[in-house]
Amino acid sequence: MAATEVNTYPSANVHGEVTGQTGNSGEAAHTETEEMRSLSLSGHVGFDSLPDQLVSKSVSQGFSFNILCVGETGIGKSTLMNTLFNTTFENEEASHFHNGVHLRPRTYSLQESNVDLQLTIVDTVGFGDQVNKEESYKPIVDYIDAQFENFLEEELKIKRSLYNYHDSRIHICLYFIAPSGHSLKSLDLVTMKKLDSKVNIIPIIAKADTVSKSELQKFKIKIMSELVSNGVQIYQFPTDDEAVAEINSSMNAHLPFAVIGSSEEVKIGNKMVRARQYPWGVVQVENESHCDFVKLREMLIRVNMLDLREQTHARHYELYRRCKLEEMGFKDTDADSEPFSLQETYVAKRREFIGELQMKEEQMRQMFVNKVKETEAELKEKERELHERFEMLKRTHQEEKRSLEEMRRDFEEEMNTFNRRKVAAETLQSLQGSTGLKKDKEKKT
Protein backbone atom coordinates (compact mmCIF):
# COMPACT_ATOMS: atom_id res chain seq x y z
CA MET A 1 0.00 0.00 0.00
CA ALA A 2 1.37 3.42 -0.92
CA ALA A 3 0.61 6.96 0.28
CA THR A 4 1.28 10.29 -1.41
CA GLU A 5 2.23 13.40 0.54
CA VAL A 6 2.49 17.02 -0.56
CA ASN A 7 5.37 18.89 1.09
CA THR A 8 4.03 22.32 1.92
CA TYR A 9 6.58 23.45 4.49
CA PRO A 10 8.49 26.57 3.34
CA SER A 11 12.28 26.71 3.37
CA ALA A 12 12.62 22.95 3.65
CA ASN A 13 13.97 20.47 1.15
CA VAL A 14 13.14 16.81 0.83
CA HIS A 15 15.77 15.88 3.39
CA GLY A 16 14.33 18.17 6.07
CA GLU A 17 17.23 20.61 5.98
CA VAL A 18 16.29 24.23 6.58
CA THR A 19 17.90 26.59 4.10
CA GLY A 20 17.87 30.35 4.43
CA GLN A 21 19.85 33.43 3.49
CA THR A 22 20.08 36.58 5.57
CA GLY A 23 21.11 39.86 3.97
CA ASN A 24 22.46 43.07 5.48
CA SER A 25 18.99 44.59 5.40
CA GLY A 26 17.72 41.97 7.84
CA GLU A 27 15.22 40.49 5.34
CA ALA A 28 15.23 36.71 4.98
CA ALA A 29 14.76 35.07 1.61
CA HIS A 30 13.26 31.58 1.78
CA THR A 31 13.34 28.93 -0.88
CA GLU A 32 10.00 27.10 -1.12
CA THR A 33 9.91 23.70 -2.69
CA GLU A 34 6.92 21.45 -3.12
CA GLU A 35 7.70 17.90 -4.12
CA MET A 36 5.67 14.73 -4.08
CA ARG A 37 6.96 11.99 -1.83
CA SER A 38 5.78 8.43 -2.10
CA LEU A 39 5.83 6.51 1.14
CA SER A 40 5.36 2.82 1.31
CA LEU A 41 3.57 1.32 4.32
CA SER A 42 5.24 -1.66 5.89
CA GLY A 43 1.93 -2.91 7.28
CA HIS A 44 -1.75 -2.25 7.61
CA VAL A 45 -2.52 1.01 9.45
CA GLY A 46 -6.31 1.01 9.48
CA PHE A 47 -7.52 4.37 8.23
CA ASP A 48 -9.29 2.57 5.41
CA SER A 49 -11.97 1.74 7.97
CA LEU A 50 -12.99 5.41 8.21
CA PRO A 51 -15.85 5.01 5.71
CA ASP A 52 -17.14 2.08 7.75
CA GLN A 53 -16.98 4.21 10.89
CA LEU A 54 -18.94 6.98 9.17
CA VAL A 55 -21.55 4.51 7.98
CA SER A 56 -21.88 2.99 11.46
CA LYS A 57 -22.25 6.41 13.09
CA SER A 58 -24.77 7.59 10.49
CA VAL A 59 -26.84 4.43 10.90
CA SER A 60 -26.87 4.80 14.69
CA GLN A 61 -28.00 8.43 14.43
CA GLY A 62 -30.71 7.71 11.89
CA PHE A 63 -31.83 9.91 9.02
CA SER A 64 -34.55 12.41 8.31
CA PHE A 65 -36.28 13.01 5.01
CA ASN A 66 -39.01 15.58 4.43
CA ILE A 67 -41.35 15.57 1.45
CA LEU A 68 -43.65 18.43 0.45
CA CYS A 69 -46.63 17.37 -1.68
CA VAL A 70 -48.14 20.26 -3.62
CA GLY A 71 -51.27 19.66 -5.66
CA GLU A 72 -54.99 20.11 -5.86
CA THR A 73 -57.33 18.30 -3.51
CA GLY A 74 -58.15 14.80 -4.71
CA ILE A 75 -55.26 14.51 -7.14
CA GLY A 76 -53.80 11.47 -5.35
CA LYS A 77 -51.06 12.83 -3.07
CA SER A 78 -51.80 10.58 -0.08
CA THR A 79 -52.28 7.50 -2.24
CA LEU A 80 -48.92 8.03 -3.94
CA MET A 81 -47.14 8.43 -0.59
CA ASN A 82 -48.67 5.17 0.64
CA THR A 83 -47.57 3.44 -2.55
CA LEU A 84 -44.12 5.00 -2.51
CA PHE A 85 -43.22 3.73 0.96
CA ASN A 86 -45.29 0.55 0.74
CA THR A 87 -47.31 1.35 3.84
CA THR A 88 -50.52 3.08 4.91
CA PHE A 89 -50.15 6.47 6.53
CA GLU A 90 -52.89 7.95 8.65
CA ASN A 91 -54.56 10.74 6.73
CA GLU A 92 -57.82 12.61 6.80
CA GLU A 93 -59.91 13.06 3.73
CA ALA A 94 -59.71 16.71 2.75
CA SER A 95 -62.69 18.72 1.60
CA HIS A 96 -62.92 21.39 -1.08
CA PHE A 97 -64.38 24.06 1.21
CA HIS A 98 -61.29 25.56 2.87
CA ASN A 99 -61.07 29.34 2.97
CA GLY A 100 -57.33 29.27 2.34
CA VAL A 101 -54.29 27.05 1.96
CA HIS A 102 -52.71 25.59 5.08
CA LEU A 103 -49.96 23.00 5.43
CA ARG A 104 -50.35 19.84 7.46
CA PRO A 105 -47.04 18.14 8.39
CA ARG A 106 -47.02 14.62 9.80
CA THR A 107 -43.93 12.75 10.93
CA TYR A 108 -43.57 8.97 10.89
CA SER A 109 -40.81 6.64 12.08
CA LEU A 110 -39.92 4.03 9.48
CA GLN A 111 -37.37 1.24 9.64
CA GLU A 112 -35.95 -0.81 6.82
CA SER A 113 -33.28 -3.39 7.63
CA ASN A 114 -31.33 -1.62 10.40
CA VAL A 115 -31.81 1.93 9.09
CA ASP A 116 -34.19 4.30 10.91
CA LEU A 117 -35.85 7.08 8.94
CA GLN A 118 -37.82 10.00 10.32
CA LEU A 119 -40.15 10.72 7.41
CA THR A 120 -42.17 13.95 7.36
CA ILE A 121 -44.89 14.34 4.76
CA VAL A 122 -46.29 17.85 4.38
CA ASP A 123 -49.62 18.13 2.61
CA THR A 124 -51.01 21.36 1.14
CA VAL A 125 -54.63 21.29 2.26
CA GLY A 126 -56.97 23.45 0.19
CA PHE A 127 -54.45 24.21 -2.56
CA GLY A 128 -56.25 25.24 -5.76
CA ASP A 129 -59.75 25.14 -4.22
CA GLN A 130 -60.29 28.88 -3.86
CA VAL A 131 -61.85 31.09 -6.49
CA ASN A 132 -59.10 33.66 -5.98
CA LYS A 133 -55.85 31.72 -6.30
CA GLU A 134 -53.59 34.78 -6.42
CA GLU A 135 -51.69 34.05 -3.20
CA SER A 136 -52.15 30.28 -2.91
CA TYR A 137 -48.37 29.84 -2.98
CA LYS A 138 -47.70 32.22 -0.07
CA PRO A 139 -48.44 29.77 2.82
CA ILE A 140 -46.13 27.22 1.17
CA VAL A 141 -43.27 29.73 0.85
CA ASP A 142 -43.82 30.90 4.43
CA TYR A 143 -43.67 27.33 5.73
CA ILE A 144 -40.40 26.57 3.91
CA ASP A 145 -38.84 29.81 5.17
CA ALA A 146 -40.04 29.03 8.70
CA GLN A 147 -38.16 25.71 8.66
CA PHE A 148 -35.02 27.46 7.43
CA GLU A 149 -35.44 30.07 10.16
CA ASN A 150 -35.79 27.40 12.85
CA PHE A 151 -32.58 25.70 11.70
CA LEU A 152 -30.73 29.05 11.52
CA GLU A 153 -31.84 29.96 15.05
CA GLU A 154 -30.59 26.62 16.33
CA GLU A 155 -27.32 27.06 14.45
CA LEU A 156 -26.73 30.54 15.91
CA LYS A 157 -27.34 29.50 19.51
CA ILE A 158 -24.42 29.57 21.92
CA LYS A 159 -25.39 26.13 23.20
CA ARG A 160 -26.67 24.38 20.12
CA SER A 161 -27.65 20.76 19.75
CA LEU A 162 -27.58 20.02 16.03
CA TYR A 163 -26.66 16.42 16.82
CA ASN A 164 -30.17 15.53 17.98
CA TYR A 165 -32.00 18.42 16.29
CA HIS A 166 -34.97 17.30 14.21
CA ASP A 167 -34.29 18.77 10.80
CA SER A 168 -37.65 19.86 9.38
CA ARG A 169 -36.30 21.55 6.24
CA ILE A 170 -38.03 20.39 3.08
CA HIS A 171 -35.74 18.15 1.01
CA ILE A 172 -37.99 17.57 -1.98
CA CYS A 173 -41.19 19.06 -3.38
CA LEU A 174 -43.31 16.71 -5.43
CA TYR A 175 -45.48 18.98 -7.56
CA PHE A 176 -48.58 17.12 -8.75
CA ILE A 177 -49.78 18.22 -12.19
CA ALA A 178 -53.35 17.48 -13.23
CA PRO A 179 -53.50 15.11 -16.25
CA SER A 180 -55.25 17.59 -18.51
CA GLY A 181 -53.12 16.71 -21.54
CA HIS A 182 -52.97 20.33 -22.70
CA SER A 183 -50.67 22.64 -20.75
CA LEU A 184 -49.77 23.84 -17.28
CA LYS A 185 -52.12 26.09 -15.38
CA SER A 186 -50.99 29.58 -14.50
CA LEU A 187 -51.21 28.58 -10.81
CA ASP A 188 -48.70 25.77 -11.44
CA LEU A 189 -46.21 28.06 -13.17
CA VAL A 190 -46.47 30.82 -10.56
CA THR A 191 -46.13 28.41 -7.65
CA MET A 192 -43.16 26.51 -9.06
CA LYS A 193 -41.44 29.79 -9.96
CA LYS A 194 -41.82 30.98 -6.35
CA LEU A 195 -40.50 27.69 -4.96
CA ASP A 196 -37.61 26.79 -7.28
CA SER A 197 -35.05 28.85 -5.31
CA LYS A 198 -36.20 27.42 -1.97
CA VAL A 199 -36.67 23.70 -2.54
CA ASN A 200 -35.84 20.88 -4.95
CA ILE A 201 -38.83 20.45 -7.27
CA ILE A 202 -39.73 17.29 -9.15
CA PRO A 203 -42.87 17.70 -11.29
CA ILE A 204 -45.01 14.60 -11.66
CA ILE A 205 -48.13 13.93 -13.69
CA ALA A 206 -50.70 12.40 -11.35
CA LYS A 207 -53.25 9.77 -12.39
CA ALA A 208 -51.38 9.17 -15.62
CA ASP A 209 -53.68 6.27 -16.53
CA THR A 210 -56.32 8.81 -17.59
CA VAL A 211 -54.17 9.93 -20.55
CA SER A 212 -53.19 7.81 -23.54
CA LYS A 213 -49.52 7.07 -24.21
CA SER A 214 -49.24 9.31 -27.25
CA GLU A 215 -50.97 12.22 -25.48
CA LEU A 216 -48.84 11.63 -22.38
CA GLN A 217 -45.59 11.97 -24.30
CA LYS A 218 -46.79 15.19 -25.94
CA PHE A 219 -47.94 16.44 -22.54
CA LYS A 220 -44.48 15.83 -21.05
CA ILE A 221 -42.79 17.75 -23.86
CA LYS A 222 -45.28 20.58 -23.48
CA ILE A 223 -44.69 20.80 -19.72
CA MET A 224 -40.89 20.90 -20.01
CA SER A 225 -41.12 23.49 -22.77
CA GLU A 226 -43.32 25.75 -20.62
CA LEU A 227 -41.04 25.32 -17.60
CA VAL A 228 -37.98 26.29 -19.62
CA SER A 229 -39.68 29.25 -21.32
CA ASN A 230 -40.87 30.58 -17.95
CA GLY A 231 -37.48 30.13 -16.28
CA VAL A 232 -38.59 27.53 -13.72
CA GLN A 233 -35.61 25.60 -12.34
CA ILE A 234 -36.59 22.05 -11.43
CA TYR A 235 -34.32 19.53 -9.74
CA GLN A 236 -31.92 17.76 -12.09
CA PHE A 237 -30.51 14.41 -11.06
CA PRO A 238 -26.73 14.81 -10.60
CA THR A 239 -24.42 13.41 -13.26
CA ASP A 240 -21.05 14.23 -11.68
CA ASP A 241 -20.81 10.85 -9.93
CA GLU A 242 -19.66 8.19 -12.38
CA ALA A 243 -21.55 5.48 -10.49
CA VAL A 244 -24.95 7.05 -11.17
CA ALA A 245 -24.17 9.43 -14.04
CA GLU A 246 -25.61 7.20 -16.74
CA ILE A 247 -28.89 6.36 -15.03
CA ASN A 248 -29.41 9.92 -13.79
CA SER A 249 -28.73 11.33 -17.23
CA SER A 250 -31.30 9.01 -18.78
CA MET A 251 -33.83 9.75 -16.02
CA ASN A 252 -33.50 13.51 -16.55
CA ALA A 253 -34.89 12.93 -20.02
CA HIS A 254 -38.00 11.27 -18.56
CA LEU A 255 -39.07 14.28 -16.47
CA PRO A 256 -41.82 14.90 -15.54
CA PHE A 257 -42.64 11.43 -14.27
CA ALA A 258 -46.10 10.10 -15.08
CA VAL A 259 -47.16 8.12 -12.02
CA ILE A 260 -50.05 6.03 -10.74
CA GLY A 261 -50.74 5.26 -7.10
CA SER A 262 -52.85 2.50 -5.64
CA SER A 263 -53.45 0.94 -2.25
CA GLU A 264 -55.24 -2.07 -3.71
CA GLU A 265 -53.60 -5.36 -4.55
CA VAL A 266 -54.70 -7.35 -7.59
CA LYS A 267 -53.73 -10.90 -8.40
CA ILE A 268 -51.76 -11.07 -11.65
CA GLY A 269 -50.75 -14.61 -12.47
CA ASN A 270 -49.45 -16.18 -9.29
CA LYS A 271 -48.59 -13.01 -7.36
CA MET A 272 -50.33 -10.04 -5.84
CA VAL A 273 -49.29 -6.63 -7.17
CA ARG A 274 -50.36 -3.06 -6.50
CA ALA A 275 -52.60 -2.06 -9.36
CA ARG A 276 -55.78 -0.31 -10.42
CA GLN A 277 -58.43 -2.53 -11.88
CA TYR A 278 -60.80 -1.25 -14.54
CA PRO A 279 -63.52 -2.95 -16.58
CA TRP A 280 -61.18 -2.94 -19.58
CA GLY A 281 -58.07 -4.21 -17.77
CA VAL A 282 -55.53 -3.75 -15.00
CA VAL A 283 -52.95 -0.95 -14.68
CA GLN A 284 -49.94 -2.13 -12.66
CA VAL A 285 -48.18 0.47 -10.55
CA GLU A 286 -44.75 -1.14 -10.74
CA ASN A 287 -44.94 -2.01 -14.42
CA GLU A 288 -42.64 0.44 -16.21
CA SER A 289 -44.57 0.05 -19.44
CA HIS A 290 -47.68 1.33 -17.62
CA CYS A 291 -46.24 4.31 -15.69
CA ASP A 292 -43.05 5.91 -14.30
CA PHE A 293 -43.66 5.01 -10.66
CA VAL A 294 -40.61 2.71 -10.46
CA LYS A 295 -38.42 5.42 -12.00
CA LEU A 296 -39.64 7.96 -9.44
CA ARG A 297 -39.01 5.60 -6.53
CA GLU A 298 -35.53 4.70 -7.81
CA MET A 299 -34.49 8.31 -8.36
CA LEU A 300 -36.11 9.74 -5.24
CA ILE A 301 -35.25 7.13 -2.61
CA ARG A 302 -32.70 4.58 -3.76
CA VAL A 303 -30.30 6.73 -5.80
CA ASN A 304 -30.55 10.44 -4.98
CA MET A 305 -31.95 10.80 -1.46
CA LEU A 306 -28.55 11.87 -0.10
CA ASP A 307 -28.07 14.38 -2.90
CA LEU A 308 -31.49 15.87 -2.22
CA ARG A 309 -30.53 16.37 1.43
CA GLU A 310 -27.16 17.87 0.48
CA GLN A 311 -28.69 20.18 -2.13
CA THR A 312 -31.19 21.42 0.43
CA HIS A 313 -28.41 22.31 2.87
CA ALA A 314 -25.70 23.48 0.46
CA ARG A 315 -27.86 25.39 -2.00
CA HIS A 316 -31.28 26.40 -0.73
CA TYR A 317 -30.51 26.78 2.97
CA GLU A 318 -27.21 28.56 2.29
CA LEU A 319 -29.02 31.01 0.00
CA TYR A 320 -31.58 31.73 2.73
CA ARG A 321 -28.86 31.97 5.38
CA ARG A 322 -26.76 34.38 3.31
CA CYS A 323 -29.71 36.65 2.52
CA LYS A 324 -30.83 36.60 6.15
CA LEU A 325 -27.39 37.47 7.53
CA GLU A 326 -26.95 40.22 4.93
CA GLU A 327 -30.28 41.68 6.05
CA MET A 328 -28.93 41.64 9.60
CA GLY A 329 -25.87 43.60 8.44
CA PHE A 330 -23.28 40.83 8.44
CA LYS A 331 -20.89 40.38 5.53
CA ASP A 332 -17.65 38.58 4.80
CA THR A 333 -15.68 41.61 3.60
CA ASP A 334 -16.19 45.34 3.61
CA ALA A 335 -15.95 47.72 0.66
CA ASP A 336 -12.11 47.63 0.76
CA SER A 337 -12.04 43.81 0.71
CA GLU A 338 -10.73 43.71 4.25
CA PRO A 339 -11.91 41.13 6.78
CA PHE A 340 -14.77 42.39 8.88
CA SER A 341 -14.89 42.46 12.65
CA LEU A 342 -17.82 40.64 14.21
CA GLN A 343 -17.57 42.84 17.30
CA GLU A 344 -17.64 46.03 15.24
CA THR A 345 -20.59 44.74 13.22
CA TYR A 346 -22.44 43.84 16.41
CA VAL A 347 -21.72 47.25 17.97
CA ALA A 348 -22.79 49.05 14.79
CA LYS A 349 -25.99 47.03 14.52
CA ARG A 350 -26.70 47.57 18.23
CA ARG A 351 -26.16 51.31 17.83
CA GLU A 352 -28.39 51.32 14.77
CA PHE A 353 -31.04 49.33 16.60
CA ILE A 354 -30.92 51.66 19.62
CA GLY A 355 -31.20 54.66 17.29
CA GLU A 356 -34.21 53.15 15.56
CA LEU A 357 -35.71 52.29 18.95
CA GLN A 358 -35.25 55.84 20.21
CA MET A 359 -36.71 57.21 16.99
CA LYS A 360 -39.73 54.95 17.32
CA GLU A 361 -40.05 55.90 20.99
CA GLU A 362 -39.99 59.59 20.08
CA GLN A 363 -42.55 58.99 17.34
CA MET A 364 -44.77 57.11 19.79
CA ARG A 365 -44.36 59.89 22.37
CA GLN A 366 -45.24 62.54 19.81
CA MET A 367 -48.14 60.43 18.65
CA PHE A 368 -49.31 60.11 22.26
CA VAL A 369 -49.06 63.87 22.80
CA ASN A 370 -51.00 64.54 19.60
CA LYS A 371 -53.58 61.97 20.64
CA VAL A 372 -53.93 63.61 24.06
CA LYS A 373 -54.35 67.01 22.43
CA GLU A 374 -56.95 65.65 20.06
CA THR A 375 -58.75 63.98 22.96
CA GLU A 376 -58.67 67.17 25.01
CA ALA A 377 -60.05 69.14 22.08
CA GLU A 378 -62.80 66.57 21.60
CA LEU A 379 -63.62 66.65 25.33
CA LYS A 380 -63.75 70.47 25.34
CA GLU A 381 -66.01 70.43 22.31
CA LYS A 382 -68.27 67.88 23.96
CA GLU A 383 -68.23 69.94 27.18
CA ARG A 384 -69.25 73.02 25.22
CA GLU A 385 -72.03 71.08 23.51
CA LEU A 386 -73.22 69.74 26.86
CA HIS A 387 -73.15 73.22 28.38
CA GLU A 388 -75.17 74.62 25.47
CA ARG A 389 -77.61 71.78 25.80
CA PHE A 390 -77.87 72.39 29.55
CA GLU A 391 -78.55 76.08 29.01
CA MET A 392 -81.14 75.25 26.40
CA LEU A 393 -82.82 72.76 28.73
CA LYS A 394 -82.66 75.32 31.53
CA ARG A 395 -84.38 77.95 29.38
CA THR A 396 -86.96 75.43 28.28
CA HIS A 397 -87.55 74.49 31.91
CA GLN A 398 -88.00 78.11 32.94
CA GLU A 399 -90.39 78.75 30.08
CA GLU A 400 -92.39 75.65 30.95
CA LYS A 401 -92.37 76.67 34.65
CA ARG A 402 -93.59 80.16 33.76
CA SER A 403 -96.28 78.69 31.57
CA LEU A 404 -97.37 76.35 34.36
CA GLU A 405 -97.50 79.27 36.81
CA GLU A 406 -99.73 81.20 34.47
CA MET A 407 -101.91 78.15 34.01
CA ARG A 408 -102.07 77.72 37.82
CA ARG A 409 -103.10 81.35 38.32
CA ASP A 410 -105.77 81.05 35.66
CA PHE A 411 -107.01 77.86 37.28
CA GLU A 412 -107.12 79.51 40.72
CA GLU A 413 -109.07 82.46 39.32
CA GLU A 414 -111.52 80.05 37.71
CA MET A 415 -111.84 78.23 41.04
CA ASN A 416 -112.47 81.47 42.91
CA THR A 417 -115.07 82.56 40.38
CA PHE A 418 -116.71 79.16 40.59
CA ASN A 419 -116.75 79.30 44.39
CA ARG A 420 -118.29 82.79 44.36
CA ARG A 421 -120.96 81.67 41.95
CA LYS A 422 -121.56 78.60 44.08
CA VAL A 423 -121.99 80.69 47.24
CA ALA A 424 -124.31 83.10 45.43
CA ALA A 425 -126.36 80.24 44.10
CA GLU A 426 -126.65 78.67 47.52
CA THR A 427 -127.62 82.04 49.06
CA LEU A 428 -130.23 82.60 46.39
CA GLN A 429 -131.59 79.12 46.88
CA SER A 430 -131.87 79.61 50.66
CA LEU A 431 -133.65 82.91 50.18
CA GLN A 432 -136.09 81.35 47.77
CA GLY A 433 -136.78 78.56 50.30
CA SER A 434 -137.52 80.94 53.20
CA THR A 435 -139.88 83.03 51.04
CA GLY A 436 -141.87 79.92 50.05
CA LEU A 437 -142.31 78.88 53.68
CA LYS A 438 -143.55 82.30 54.60
CA LYS A 439 -146.16 82.24 51.87
CA ASP A 440 -147.38 78.81 52.99
CA LYS A 441 -147.85 80.06 56.56
CA GLU A 442 -149.83 83.02 55.34
CA LYS A 443 -152.09 80.75 53.32
CA LYS A 444 -152.79 78.57 56.33
CA THR A 445 -153.63 81.46 58.55
Side-chain angles (χ1 to χ4, degrees):
M1 184 175 181
T4 304
E5 179 185 353
V6 180
N7 184 8
T8 59
Y9 293 98
S11 306
N13 55 21
V14 295
H15 301 291
E17 297 176 355
V18 180
T19 60
Q21 182 178 2
T22 305
N24 295 331
S25 61
E27 296 180 355
H30 299 280
T31 304
E32 297 183 359
T33 60
E34 295 184 359
E35 295 187 6
M36 304 293 292
R37 294 190 299 176
S38 298
L39 301 178
S40 59
L41 299 179
S42 58
H44 182 262
V45 177
F47 57 78
D48 59 348
S49 65
L50 180 59
D52 298 331
Q53 298 175 30
L54 292 175
V55 170
S56 177
K57 184 177 181 181
S58 299
V59 169
S60 64
Q61 290 178 355
F63 303 91
S64 65
F65 193 62
N66 307 317
I67 302 176
L68 171 64
C69 299
V70 181
E72 300 175 359
T73 304
I75 204 169
K77 301 186 292 294
S78 300
T79 304
L80 183 64
M81 290 297 102
N82 293 339
T83 311
L84 196 63
F85 290 94
N86 196 23
T87 186
T88 301
F89 298 111
E90 297 179 1
N91 50 61
E92 300 175 0
E93 186 176 350
S95 66
H96 293 270
F97 303 102
H98 294 279
N99 296 328
V101 180
H102 68 275
L103 280 76
R104 184 174 60 195
R106 294 189 173 179
T107 303
Y108 307 93
S109 297
L110 304 180
Q111 186 175 22
E112 189 173 21
S113 299
N114 63 333
V115 178
D116 295 325
L117 178 67
Q118 289 289 109
L119 176 66
T120 300
I121 299 176
V122 185
D123 189 13
T124 52
V125 180
F127 181 79
D129 291 340
Q130 293 75 36
V131 176
N132 184 7
K133 303 179 178 64
E134 184 177 358
E135 293 188 351
S136 296
Y137 65 87
K138 194 173 185 304
I140 305 175
V141 174
D142 293 342
Y143 179 84
I144 296 174
D145 287 343
Q147 310 317 306
F148 285 153
E149 183 67 23
N150 293 337
F151 191 87
L152 180 61
E153 289 179 358
E154 183 66 27
E155 195 178 42
L156 294 178
K157 286 182 179 178
I158 297 176
K159 293 183 180 180
R160 55 186 182 177
S161 57
L162 295 176
Y163 175 80
N164 56 358
Y165 175 77
H166 175 63
D167 188 3
S168 59
R169 295 173 296 176
I170 299 299
H171 299 124
I172 180 65
C173 170
L174 295 179
Y175 196 94
F176 289 71
I177 300 172
S180 62
H182 298 289
S183 61
L184 290 171
K185 300 178 182 179
S186 57
L187 175 63
D188 299 331
L189 289 172
V190 171
T191 303
M192 281 192 277
K193 185 61 180 176
K194 294 292 183 180
L195 296 178
D196 62 356
S197 62
K198 297 179 178 295
V199 68
N200 303 311
I201 300 177
I202 295 182
I204 58 178
I205 302 173
K207 298 183 178 180
D209 53 341
T210 61
V211 185
S212 65
K213 276 195 172 182
S214 58
E215 292 177 347
L216 190 60
Q217 191 60 33
K218 294 178 182 178
F219 191 33
K220 285 186 175 184
I221 296 173
K222 181 70 173 177
I223 289 173
M224 294 305 297
S225 175
E226 290 183 350
L227 292 178
V228 172
S229 61
N230 287 275
V232 179
Q233 300 292 328
I234 63 174
Y235 175 74
Q236 294 291 319
F237 303 118
T239 57
D240 51 353
D241 188 357
E242 295 180 357
V244 295
E246 184 177 354
I247 184 173
N248 280 349
S249 179
S250 63
M251 288 298 106
N252 283 328
H254 283 83
L255 291 172
F257 292 130
V259 298
I260 301 170
S262 176
S263 57
E264 301 177 359
E265 291 189 350
V266 179
K267 188 174 183 180
I268 304 295
N270 296 326
K271 62 179 181 178
M272 301 294 292
V273 297
R274 288 181 178 265
R276 300 185 71 87
Q277 192 166 16
Y278 296 97
W280 45 263
V282 177
V283 179
Q284 301 179 34
V285 173
E286 297 187 5
N287 191 331
E288 294 193 46
S289 62
H290 291 180
C291 68
D292 298 331
F293 173 78
V294 175
K295 296 182 178 66
L296 174 65
R297 184 177 61 189
E298 290 285 331
M299 293 296 98
L300 183 63
I301 300 176
R302 297 183 181 175
V303 179
N304 297 302
M305 180 181 283
L306 178 61
D307 184 73
L308 289 168
R309 288 163 47 88
E310 291 178 347
Q311 285 290 327
T312 299
H313 181 79
R315 179 187 171 192
H316 301 295
Y317 170 70
E318 285 298 323
L319 176 61
Y320 176 85
R321 177 179 175 274
R322 185 177 74 241
C323 295
K324 194 70 174 179
L325 292 179
E326 287 177 353
E327 289 178 4
M328 297 168 62
F330 295 97
K331 56 184 179 179
D332 292 334
T333 56
D334 58 14
D336 299 330
S337 298
E338 295 180 358
F340 80 103
S341 171
L342 185 62
Q343 179 67 21
E344 293 178 359
T345 304
Y346 169 75
V347 172
K349 292 299 294 183
R350 185 175 183 274
R351 191 181 300 115
E352 180 182 352
F353 174 76
I354 292 176
E356 292 178 356
L357 189 63
Q358 292 176 348
M359 185 183 300
K360 290 182 179 179
E361 184 179 356
E362 182 62 29
Q363 291 176 354
M364 291 180 66
R365 184 183 294 107
Q366 188 64 33
M367 187 183 302
F368 177 76
V369 171
N370 295 335
K371 194 70 176 177
V372 169
K373 290 181 179 179
E374 292 177 1
T375 306
E376 288 180 351
E378 292 177 358
L379 290 175
K380 288 181 179 179
E381 180 67 21
K382 289 185 180 297
E383 183 181 2
R384 184 185 61 80
E385 293 177 357
L386 289 174
H387 184 70
E388 292 179 354
R389 186 177 179 184
F390 173 75
E391 291 294 332
M392 183 180 65
L393 291 174
K394 186 177 179 181
R395 288 194 300 269
T396 304
H397 174 70
Q398 291 176 352
E399 292 176 357
E400 290 179 352
K401 184 178 180 180
R402 187 165 47 251
S403 176
L404 288 174
E405 287 291 335
E406 292 177 356
M407 291 175 65
R408 186 178 65 82
R409 286 195 298 270
D410 294 341
F411 180 72
E412 287 179 350
E413 290 179 0
E414 289 180 359
M415 285 184 64
N416 293 332
T417 304
F418 175 77
N419 290 330
R420 287 194 298 271
R421 288 179 179 178
K422 181 179 178 181
V423 170
E426 290 177 350
T427 304
L428 180 62
Q429 187 176 4
S430 63
L431 290 175
Q432 289 178 353
S434 60
T435 305
L437 291 173
K438 186 176 182 181
K439 286 181 179 181
D440 289 340
K441 289 178 178 181
E442 289 178 356
K443 288 178 179 181
K444 288 179 180 180
T445 57

